[in-house]
Amino acid sequence: MKLKRFLLRYYPPGIILEYEKGGQLRTKSIDLLDLTPKTNPNEVLAEIRRSEVLITETRADQVKQLILRLQEKQGQQNQHRFCFSKELKAHILPLTNVAFDKSGSRFITGSYDRTCRVWDTASRSELHALEGHRNVVYAIAFNNPYGNKIATGSFDKTCKLWCAETGKCFHTFRGHIAEIVCLAFNPQSTLVATGSMDATAKLWDVETGEELATLTGHSAEVLSVCFNTVGNQLVTGSFDHTVVIWDVASRRRVHTLIGHRGEISNVQFNWDCSLIVTGSMDRSCRLWEADSGRCVATLTGHSEEVLDVCFNLSGHLVATASADGTARVFSAATHQCLVTLVGHDGEISKICFSPQGSRLLTASSDMTARLWDVQSGVCLQVLRGHTDEIFSCAFNYEGDTIVTGSKDNTCRIWY
């Protein structure tokens, strides 16, 4: 093995090694999820050298400089205050979802008007209208980190794969017998997973457009799908109150996670693939070990349904959003509720951490989105201007741009 170069990853902190083995160029990542500005860089370097043979004595100083750069980035105070930039009258019917590409230079919007639209973030201009679905475009995603393909899932029972650069449709995935309501690319961008009201999930080949597998076992709608960051496992959440972990290579069910007493609203892996978080209409959120399928914690406190859940990028924190109009932040290690975010006048349907992990963004039926300080729980900003429910919101990769999508048929960009 021969080390070729280093790549820096700021969110979550890590160093990517590009190396040559057997004449092929490969990559591996050194995750530094516990790194803080106060961490001793020499201790981090020593730990890396003990576990990674590619980091020789001659490369040690270079690695230390990369660690220092990551710490410098972490030490930069995130005092950014967002200002309204532009309202895009994006669609003739309400939006369903918004999503950025990895760089944040483009974003996409899905809608009840049967289209997905691609936008340039800087110029706020429409790049492409992805037309061809015969019903609501409900689920949308870029194949991040590449950002050169877009998948759209529709109530017309199909999923389409598009070229992000030209707007051309590569494939139409046909096979579901009911509406597609969720989808995800694997990290390698070789597969798309779709979840449907027909109680199945399917795996599709990005290159050929062929169906590779139908994942059966749920007895009701599959509402959420998520690959882990390695891409070897997929998790599905269903209206049947259960969550299933699948082995991607064999397409076999590894574990069925039983414990929730209501429909599953969202599922997500943490960055290091060790834990899964699930939110449910039973007003709780649960943490599960991915290896064993064991429930390690039930996170309670909400008085109404939990509509969304997510990890921060390091995996240390869990955020929950509820129909009771509040959000909560829990420690993934101690399972304690650290802060409760109070201020919205309606249910919160979407929650997400900033890439840095210091801010939370919530979208609500009260027609506002709010920005919160994660540590104190203080509301830093109220993003007003939409005239109907906001149900989708997202940060770009740097955390300095926000897009919100609403039932008022518009999306708003905030810098």
Side-chain angles (χ1 to χ4, degrees):
M1 290 193 297
K2 185 182 178 184
L3 183 62
K4 304 294 282 185
R5 63 170 178 161
F6 297 108
L7 300 168
L8 210 53
R9 187 190 66 218
Y10 286 122
Y11 313 119
I15 299 168
I16 314 298
L17 310 182
E18 203 172 79
Y19 65 100
E20 200 175 81
K21 185 179 181 183
Q24 284 192 318
L25 206 58
R26 304 187 182 193
T27 60
K28 64 165 78 170
S29 65
I30 300 170
D31 294 333
L32 303 174
L33 303 183
D34 296 321
L35 188 73
T36 72
K38 295 180 180 178
T39 308
N40 184 330
N42 293 317
E43 290 178 5
V44 177
L45 175 62
E47 179 62 34
I48 291 172
R49 289 201 61 199
R50 278 195 292 272
S51 59
E52 184 48 68
V53 294
L54 284 169
I55 309 302
T56 57
E57 181 68 40
T58 56
R59 296 282 194 169
D61 190 57
Q62 199 177 352
V63 172
K64 183 178 177 180
Q65 293 307 311
L66 293 174
I67 295 166
L68 291 170
R69 278 177 61 189
L70 288 171
Q71 290 179 301
E72 182 187 356
K73 187 79 169 177
Q74 288 182 323
Q76 292 171 0
Q77 290 302 306
N78 185 9
Q79 303 291 354
H80 188 76
R81 186 164 180 84
F82 290 89
C83 298
F84 170 64
S85 171
K86 188 172 183 181
E87 178 183 85
L88 302 176
K89 293 185 170 41
H91 295 271
I92 57 171
L93 289 173
L95 277 71
T96 55
N97 244 312
V98 295
F100 276 106
D101 68 359
K102 174 69 183 286
S103 69
S105 62
R106 292 168 302 175
F107 66 93
I108 49 179
T109 54
S111 171
Y112 280 83
D113 69 8
R114 307 180 178 188
T115 72
C116 173
R117 295 178 188 267
V118 188
W119 306 85
D120 180 86
T121 310
S123 68
R124 281 91 78 192
S125 58
E126 183 182 313
L127 299 175
H128 305 291
L130 310 183
E131 298 174 333
H133 282 296
R134 296 183 177 184
N135 209 327
V136 176
V137 175
Y138 195 76
I140 56 176
F142 275 102
N143 64 331
N144 292 333
Y146 307 98
N148 62 342
K149 294 184 179 71
I150 295 164
T152 56
S154 171
F155 284 3
D156 68 8
K157 309 172 191 173
T158 73
C159 173
K160 288 179 181 284
L161 188 71
W162 311 80
C163 174
E165 314 301 329
T166 66
K168 175 192 171 190
C169 182
F170 289 131
H171 303 295
T172 300
F173 303 143
R174 292 184 173 89
H176 281 295
I177 56 173
E179 297 92 327
I180 293 174
V181 290
C182 57
L183 58 81
F185 283 95
N186 69 339
Q188 296 81 13
S189 188
T190 56
L191 302 174
V192 172
T194 53
S196 169
M197 303 286 270
D198 66 13
T200 72
K202 288 178 183 284
L203 293 176
W204 310 86
D205 188 298
V206 166
E207 191 64 36
T208 66
E210 293 176 4
E211 180 185 320
L212 298 176
T214 300
L215 308 179
T216 58
H218 285 296
S219 58
E221 299 96 317
V222 175
L223 264 292
S224 183
V225 294
C226 180
F227 285 97
N228 66 5
T229 51
V230 178
N232 65 333
Q233 287 190 329
L234 176 78
V235 64
T236 55
S238 170
F239 260 30
D240 67 10
H241 307 183
T242 73
V243 175
V244 176
I245 304 173
W246 308 85
D247 178 73
V248 173
S250 67
R251 325 311 193 211
R252 289 182 181 164
R253 189 189 328 200
V254 180
H255 297 293
T256 301
L257 313 183
I258 297 171
H260 279 297
R261 296 180 178 182
E263 295 93 333
I264 306 299
S265 55
N266 199 15
V267 295
Q268 195 183 77
F269 278 98
N270 66 349
W271 183 270
D272 71 10
C273 314
S274 62
L275 290 175
I276 293 165
V277 65
T278 56
S280 170
M281 299 302 175
D282 67 9
R283 307 178 185 181
S284 78
C285 163
R286 286 179 179 245
L287 286 173
W288 313 77
E289 283 180 351
D291 282 347
S292 67
R294 184 174 68 92
C295 179
V296 294
T298 302
L299 311 179
T300 59
H302 286 296
S303 59
E304 297 291 342
E305 298 98 328
V306 173
L307 301 178
D308 197 21
V309 291
C310 64
F311 283 105
N312 68 344
L313 276 176
S314 70
H316 295 146
L317 300 175
V318 171
T320 58
S322 172
D324 66 15
T326 71
R328 289 173 174 256
V329 180
F330 295 87
S331 164
T334 68
H335 314 140
Q336 297 299 306
C337 179
L338 305 177
V339 288
T340 302
L341 313 180
V342 179
H344 279 296
D345 293 325
E347 68 178 34
I348 304 172
S349 58
K350 180 71 178 175
I351 191 164
C352 54
F353 283 94
S354 65
Q356 297 85 351
S358 58
R359 302 282 182 265
L360 268 167
L361 179 63
T362 53
S364 171
S365 62
D366 67 8
M367 301 185 287
T368 72
R370 287 179 178 246
L371 197 68
W372 311 81
D373 180 78
V374 170
Q375 283 198 313
S376 67
V378 169
C379 179
L380 301 172
Q381 253 188 288
V382 182
L383 307 182
R384 305 181 192 274
H386 283 294
T387 57
D388 206 336
E389 176 181 348
I390 305 173
F391 47 81
S392 192
C393 57
F395 282 103
N396 68 341
Y397 178 72
E398 282 291 340
D400 58 10
T401 305
I402 287 170
V403 63
T404 53
S406 168
K407 278 189 178 173
D408 65 10
N409 304 2
T410 73
C411 63
R412 289 182 155 235
I413 305 171
W414 313 79
Y415 282 112

